[in-house]
Amino acid sequence: MNHVHEIELPFVNNQQNPQDSNWQPQDLFRDGPLFNEDLAPVPSEKRTWTTYNFAALWISMAHCIPTYMLAGGLVAVGMNWWQALLTIGLGNIIVLIPILLNAHPGTKYGIPFPVLARSSFGTKGANIPAVLRAIVACGWFGIQTYIGGEAVKTFIEIIWPEYAHIGGGIKVLGLEIPSMITFLVFWTLNILIIFLGMEYVKIFENWAAPIVLILAASLLLWVVLLAGGFGPILFQPSRFANFDEFWKVFVPSLTGMIGFWATLSLNVPDFTRYGRGQKEQILGQVLGLPTTMIAFSAMGVVITSASQVILHQVPVEQLWDPVLVIQKLTSSDIYPGRTEPFIANTNLRLSVAVISLLGVAIATISVNIAANVVSPANDFANLAPKRISFKIGGLITGIIGILIMPWNLLESADIYIFEWLVGYSALLGPIAGVMIVDYWVIKRQRLNVPDLYRPDGIYPPYNKKAIVALIVGIIPNIPGFIRAANGMSNGENIFDVIYPYSWFIGLFLSGFIHLLFSCLFRNKTVNN
């Protein structure tokens, strides 16, 4: 028997509803090339994530060293403390919108990001956004692993000072031997947890969230008490003489803040597919993301400000690194102006160093696994579902994370914010635009789940309309990215002007083009 299914288009009333919950597990084409168990819809009995689980997920991901350093990067380019926090808060409220929009189909249908992308880009075309998302995640994985490894190295040197001299200054891929060793140790810990599976990821995130919060609050209280106040940064004025000067820095900084979680705005279905319902995932994410990003960044501001009083001989740009601050406070050296170490008792000092090491490790691993391994593991599995499992996809992520050499991305605030964060948001904004318009406007939240796993179903191998829309959204930002990456400053042109708006331009332009093409070329797909 032949069944004709029409994909929902705007302003078209379909009598046939190709949706949704009327299919059974036996309807899935399990032997087909598009199926494996890791990409399969999550059955209802395994959708157990509550509001707390989603809030804890975001708290764990947001409580990381890059978040702590965000305000420092903005202050370094001229903002005062409240301008920096305002930029961070606004950026996270904006990015929360596409996060919630793309989270909905994950909870409704129990499918991960690359499978959802099949409905927009085609069963094979979905690999385009999946690979773009995966490469970005590999970069972030490398950054977080490097930061975690450097933190481990710092605390090892407190306990074993000779460790810093291993290798005699020899470098491997630009890293000295001690740094490379701790990087690889931290790398291994991340991969091991992924190999345990998603249930263990949930458990880890659940208890990591409160632990990291308590430790960060303890550090803040300790530093403020030592300094006898909040320090000078809270009274430091902005370096911008007028609004125009502020705006030139604010816009790319805002785009960078959006880019910070632009990855999750795509692959959030990888987590919401485990949710009990829409209410749980929406409330958990609203409570967990913007509040934590603002609060933890504010902690970074206060701790750094108070540290200026205590560690008055350390350049302020170095004090934005919490690992360095803890290293100084737990050192056995007597700081100038003091008569004894900050912690005089040796056993207590070592205990604080070990606890700090565990706190940094937990914070870094929790964000790395959730934000930077789960999605690319699924994305790489989507390339060849019968050959690549979730675990193998995680391993591929880890290998690419090494080859990217992330330590080069963290050399300065300009590279970190204006090249890396803004640059990759130019890729992710157009993907989000296509997916949101496709699901909410064109298909009106209706998907034929079994056909997402069928090569000959209603979804074509390549949805040319979506792919063209994606390309159109990326093209305007390429010249600006090339000029920024190569440090070209020989006169400002139109591409330099629009580049700071790359995420916004890509999102709205790709979404509009996809909607326009879908209205102009209304097709029916026949599934035999």
Side-chain angles (χ1 to χ4, degrees):
M1 179 181 294
N2 293 338
H3 300 278
V4 178
H5 303 270
E6 183 177 348
I7 301 177
E8 283 282 319
L9 292 170
F11 321 117
V12 175
N13 294 319
N14 288 15
Q15 294 180 352
Q16 176 79 14
N17 180 356
Q19 186 205 359
D20 48 5
S21 56
N22 295 324
W23 63 276
Q24 299 298 325
Q26 59 268 25
D27 296 331
L28 294 174
F29 189 25
R30 295 178 179 271
D31 295 329
L34 299 177
F35 183 91
N36 72 25
E37 291 298 333
D38 295 322
L39 298 177
V42 177
S44 57
E45 65 271 14
K46 293 185 178 180
R47 300 187 191 184
T48 59
W49 286 40
T50 63
T51 298
Y52 174 77
N53 295 137
F54 287 108
L57 175 71
W58 276 112
I59 293 171
S60 297
M61 290 194 293
H63 279 163
C64 61
I65 293 176
T67 299
Y68 182 100
M69 297 169 67
L70 274 181
L74 298 177
V75 170
V77 295
M79 293 187 183
N80 60 29
W81 69 270
W82 67 262
Q83 289 171 339
L85 293 183
L86 174 65
T87 305
I88 293 169
L90 182 59
N92 281 274
I93 291 172
I94 291 173
V95 80
L96 182 63
I97 297 172
I99 286 174
L100 294 178
L101 290 175
N102 279 330
H104 186 278
T107 303
K108 184 173 183 177
Y109 297 104
I111 54 177
F113 159 65
V115 175
L116 174 62
R118 293 174 185 175
S119 68
S120 304
F121 292 90
T123 54
K124 292 182 179 180
N127 288 319
I128 298 173
V131 169
L132 289 175
R133 166 59 178 104
I135 291 173
V136 168
C138 291
W140 267 118
F141 173 82
I143 288 174
Q144 293 282 6
T145 303
Y146 170 68
I147 291 173
E150 286 299 287
V152 171
K153 171 176 168 285
T154 298
F155 291 113
I156 289 177
E157 290 174 356
I158 294 174
I159 302 170
W160 179 25
E162 293 79 12
Y163 178 79
H165 306 294
I166 293 176
I170 296 174
K171 292 186 177 182
V172 179
L173 297 177
L175 277 187
E176 293 186 354
I177 297 298
S179 292
M180 181 58 74
I181 291 173
T182 51
F183 175 81
L184 292 177
V185 168
F186 214 76
W187 183 94
T188 302
L189 289 174
N190 282 270
I191 299 301
L192 283 176
I193 293 177
I194 273 297
F195 267 62
L196 293 175
M198 279 299 295
E199 186 62 25
Y200 286 90
V201 171
K202 182 183 81 169
I203 294 171
F204 184 82
E205 301 294 331
N206 282 348
W207 62 261
I211 288 177
V212 174
L213 179 61
I214 291 171
L215 292 176
S218 300
L219 175 61
L220 185 149
L221 180 62
W222 181 27
V223 172
V224 169
L225 289 175
L226 284 174
F230 295 111
I233 290 180
L234 297 183
F235 306 98
Q236 177 179 308
S238 167
R239 296 205 302 266
F240 305 118
N242 52 55
F243 181 78
D244 288 340
E245 289 184 7
F246 170 74
W247 187 258
K248 290 180 180 179
V249 175
F250 170 73
V251 173
S253 299
L254 180 66
T255 304
M257 297 309 104
I258 294 170
F260 196 83
W261 292 121
T263 52
L264 267 293
S265 73
L266 300 182
N267 79 280
V268 68
D270 291 332
F271 300 98
T272 58
R273 63 194 294 224
Y274 296 98
R276 287 183 179 176
Q278 301 293 354
K279 178 182 177 181
E280 285 80 1
Q281 66 92 358
I282 292 173
L283 186 59
Q285 295 193 90
V286 170
L287 292 175
L289 173 57
T291 54
T292 306
M293 290 294 293
I294 295 171
F296 203 61
S297 297
M299 285 184 174
V301 171
V302 174
I303 292 172
T304 302
S305 182
S307 298
Q308 275 192 272
V309 178
I310 306 167
L311 306 172
H312 48 83
Q313 292 190 348
V314 179
V316 64
E317 60 269 15
Q318 296 181 21
L319 293 177
W320 287 102
D321 181 358
V323 175
L324 182 141
V325 172
I326 296 172
Q327 178 193 27
K328 296 290 185 182
L329 295 179
T330 56
S331 173
S332 59
D333 298 334
I334 299 176
Y335 200 76
R338 296 183 60 88
T339 58
E340 61 182 9
F342 288 103
I343 303 178
N345 184 281
T346 302
N347 292 332
L348 178 60
R349 185 168 61 249
L350 292 177
S351 298
V352 172
V354 171
I355 293 172
S356 301
L357 168 63
L358 292 175
V360 171
I362 291 171
T364 308
I365 291 175
S366 63
V367 65
N368 221 11
I369 291 172
N372 306 320
V373 185
V374 171
S375 176
N378 284 327
D379 296 337
F380 288 127
N382 194 65
L383 288 173
K386 293 303 182 185
R387 295 183 178 89
I388 303 176
S389 66
F390 176 79
K391 294 178 181 178
I392 298 301
L395 183 60
I396 294 172
T397 301
I399 294 172
I400 296 176
I402 295 174
L403 298 178
I404 285 177
M405 294 188 289
W407 38 90
N408 293 330
L409 297 173
L410 292 174
E411 289 180 349
S412 73
D414 285 344
I415 292 176
Y416 182 55
I417 293 178
F418 291 94
E419 291 183 21
W420 174 244
L421 291 180
V422 176
Y424 86 68
S425 69
L427 296 176
L428 302 186
I431 298 173
V434 169
M435 294 182 64
I436 291 170
V437 167
D438 190 80
Y439 177 74
W440 286 94
V441 182
I442 297 174
K443 295 187 174 66
R444 299 178 183 175
Q445 307 102 58
R446 296 174 179 175
L447 301 178
N448 187 316
V449 174
D451 275 19
L452 290 171
Y453 299 88
R454 292 182 179 274
D456 59 347
I458 67 170
Y459 303 105
Y462 296 95
N463 185 347
K464 296 177 182 178
K465 298 186 290 290
I467 295 172
V468 170
L470 174 63
I471 295 172
V472 171
I474 292 175
I475 286 177
N477 299 309
I478 293 177
F481 173 74
I482 293 174
R483 285 173 58 85
N486 290 281
M488 298 179 184
S489 57
N490 54 331
E492 188 175 77
N493 59 38
I494 183 62
F495 297 110
D496 297 322
V497 174
I498 67 174
Y499 180 60
Y501 301 86
S502 58
W503 186 84
F504 298 97
I505 291 173
L507 179 83
F508 289 108
L509 183 57
S510 288
F512 172 74
I513 294 297
H514 184 45
L515 177 60
L516 178 64
F517 284 178
S518 297
C519 290
L520 293 176
F521 307 103
R522 301 183 178 188
N523 298 323
K524 291 185 177 181
T525 303
V526 178
N527 177 34
N528 290 322

